[in-house]
Amino acid sequence: PAGRGAIPPAVTTGIPPDEGLPLFPRGLPGGLRHRIFVLFDDPEASLVGKLITTIVLLAIMVSTISFVLESLPALRQRPAACAELRAAGLPLTALACEPVPWEAFGVVEAVCIAIFSLDYVVRVATAHAARDAKRTSALGATFSYVRQPLAIVDLAAIVPFYVDLVIGGGAGGFA
């Protein structure tokens, strides 16, 4: 039962309460870009929106669990370069012999970052479509969106991967 002062579902989703969720958002002004923005931003507006949100939440959980597991000594291995130095009778170095996480953790990180990046880029690229055109320019709406706290957190979550990819040896977490 709706509480006192609750907003009816038809107002928030555009769908009368007696109908099920559509596959994609519908009945929205602003065309395809607006529908794509709502698809990624409002999981209550469509079944695909719920699926996208579920995938992103699963990626967050997998990424977090992977991050914790890769720090466990039992799930780390010495690089092959360490054994090669030892076999050649050369001095061992911390760089060559420091245990590193299994390669699978790097793959998990790359997949999760790809999911987070796609989600972020689509939201930023379509945020202007959900604006009130009479009050805000498209650029203003986009800048307003990227300054929101959750958008900043999203960006902060993906930037380190790309910084490491560009200046940290090119491995993007695979080193």
Side-chain angles (χ1 to χ4, degrees):
R4 227 173 138 202
I7 299 172
V11 172
T12 58
T13 64
I15 302 166
D18 57 337
E19 291 184 31
L21 285 179
L23 191 57
F24 293 98
R26 64 178 181 210
L28 300 169
L32 181 61
R33 288 185 185 136
H34 189 198
R35 290 176 62 193
I36 291 170
F37 180 78
V38 171
L39 188 68
F40 278 77
D41 198 58
D42 184 4
E44 299 302 318
S46 68
L47 292 174
V48 174
K50 282 183 180 281
L51 177 64
I52 289 170
T53 299
T54 300
I55 289 169
V56 170
L57 289 174
L58 284 173
I60 291 169
M61 289 187 324
V62 167
S63 177
T64 303
I65 291 168
S66 176
F67 181 76
V68 171
L69 290 177
E70 76 178 26
S71 69
L72 297 176
L75 301 178
R76 297 174 77 81
Q77 61 194 15
R78 293 205 187 276
C82 186
E84 293 168 5
L85 287 175
R86 183 172 284 141
L90 297 172
L92 303 179
T93 65
L95 181 63
C97 294
E98 181 71 28
V100 294
W102 294 348
E103 286 185 28
F105 290 117
V107 172
V108 168
E109 179 184 12
V111 169
C112 289
I113 290 294
I115 291 168
F116 301 149
S117 298
L118 177 66
D119 180 64
Y120 183 78
V121 167
V122 168
R123 287 173 191 260
V124 169
T126 59
H128 68 280
R131 77 187 192 285
D132 178 358
K134 293 178 183 175
R135 296 180 148 193
T136 310
S137 70
L139 189 59
T142 301
F143 282 138
S144 177
Y145 180 79
V146 298
R147 288 191 315 258
Q148 292 178 5
L150 290 178
I152 293 169
V153 168
D154 289 345
L155 183 62
I158 60 176
V159 163
F161 179 86
Y162 294 110
V163 168
D164 186 47
L165 188 65
V166 172
I167 65 172
F174 291 107

